[in-house]
Amino acid sequence: MAFTNWLGLIKNAKKSSVLHGNVRKIYYQFADGREMAEEYSTETGVVLRRAWKKKSAIIQKDDWITELGEPISMGLNENDCILKESSSEPLLSKRLTRNSIEWRIRNLPYPLSTYTVTCEPDKTILVRTSNKKYYKKIHVEEFLRCNFVPRQEDLTVRHNNATLVITYKKPTILLEMERSVLLILQDIETMEYDNFKCEDLINELSMQ
């Protein structure tokens, strides 16, 4: 499996889990000292948020750096990550669905024909405009973990209400990685766990 390293990190990490409604929150402590927090939908098994703890020696506090979704609050400390952007600056956000990875870049008013969005050999997504007003290389952690080079034919782009929406169809190897992680997480003791049947969800995902 190309994602063996990532799976090993998840399997060997110290993990704790709590259920709030239809969201399962998981906190990881890795052997190398890193810490990660995730939120999963108990209805779809999709990761809603993922963040990494970053220690700041200058201001003597911990921040949560968001990789996926909105800034994450896991109830771990009072130093929740707060992102502040100018209302006119392009703002990139990322979310997962069962079958795709989606990026939204807000505050891009130019027509669709202005944008060129390409899959790059270094496993990134490159966005640029013909008027040279915007340039962004999007690093895709999922592709790196799977050692997967994205294909242009699986990428779609649309534009609406000053927002560029980029969608990439999940490759089979990424779906396999997600199912493998869920198999590991089903064995973690979780508060209010009776409300969430992880095994049934994994079986459902395996049928796709």
Side-chain angles (χ1 to χ4, degrees), residues 150-162:
R151 302 175 300 187
Q152 193 69 32
E153 58 265 31
D154 291 328
L155 184 81
T156 58
V157 182
R158 67 182 190 274
H159 187 267
N160 189 36
N161 295 327

Side-chain angles (χ1 to χ4, degrees), residues 61-186:
K61 75 170 186 176
D62 299 335
D63 289 323
W64 288 94
I65 307 302
T66 302
E67 173 188 314
L68 171 68
E70 298 300 323
I72 192 168
S73 175
M74 298 293 290
L76 301 174
N77 55 43
E78 297 179 355
N79 299 317
D80 294 333
C81 178
I82 300 175
L83 299 181
K84 295 182 179 179
E85 297 285 346
S86 167
S87 60
S88 62
E89 289 296 316
L91 177 61
L92 173 67
S93 64
K94 172 185 172 184
R95 75 181 186 106
L96 299 182
T97 69
R98 276 194 171 184
N99 299 309
S100 65
I101 307 172
E102 182 182 282
W103 298 268
R104 290 177 177 265
I105 310 177
R106 296 177 175 85
N107 299 326
L108 287 181
Y110 322 115
L112 181 60
S113 59
T114 308
Y115 307 96
T116 299
V117 184
T118 56
C119 296
E120 299 297 307
D122 62 356
K123 306 179 181 66
T124 62
I125 305 294
L126 184 61
V127 184
R128 51 183 177 252
T129 58
S130 57
N131 59 12
K132 298 184 180 180
K133 296 292 186 180
Y134 186 78
Y135 180 95
K136 180 69 174 180
K137 176 170 281 196
I138 302 174
H139 296 274
V140 188
E141 290 82 2
E142 290 82 4
F143 293 164
L144 294 174
R145 290 163 188 154
C146 293
N147 193 27
F148 176 79
V149 179
R151 302 175 300 187
Q152 193 69 32
E153 58 265 31
D154 291 328
L155 184 81
T156 58
V157 182
R158 67 182 190 274
H159 187 267
N160 189 36
N161 295 327
T163 299
L164 187 70
V165 182
I166 305 166
T167 304
Y168 192 90
K169 180 182 176 182
K170 285 182 179 178
T172 299
I173 192 169
L174 177 53
L175 295 172
E176 291 175 353
M177 184 180 76
E178 291 175 339
R179 286 193 288 266
S180 296
V181 170
L182 281 177
L183 283 169
I184 294 173
L185 298 183
Q186 72 172 343

Side-chain angles (χ1 to χ4, degrees), residues 10 15 24 26 28 40 181-188:
I10 296 297
K15 298 175 283 290
R24 187 186 187 193
I26 302 175
Y28 303 80
Y40 280 84
V181 170
L182 281 177
L183 283 169
I184 294 173
L185 298 183
Q186 72 172 343
D187 295 327
I188 305 173

Side-chain angles (χ1 to χ4, degrees), residues 47-68:
V47 183
L48 304 175
R49 297 180 179 88
R50 179 181 294 123
W52 296 83
K53 181 180 282 190
K54 181 179 180 180
K55 297 183 182 296
S56 175
I58 299 177
I59 56 179
Q60 296 296 315
K61 75 170 186 176
D62 299 335
D63 289 323
W64 288 94
I65 307 302
T66 302
E67 173 188 314
L68 171 68

Side-chain angles (χ1 to χ4, degrees), residues 5-6 9 12-14 28-36 52-53 55:
N5 290 340
W6 178 246
L9 281 174
N12 296 323
K14 293 181 179 179
Y28 303 80
Q29 291 178 294
F30 299 103
D32 60 8
R34 290 182 298 168
E35 298 175 56
M36 182 179 76
W52 296 83
K53 181 180 282 190
K55 297 183 182 296

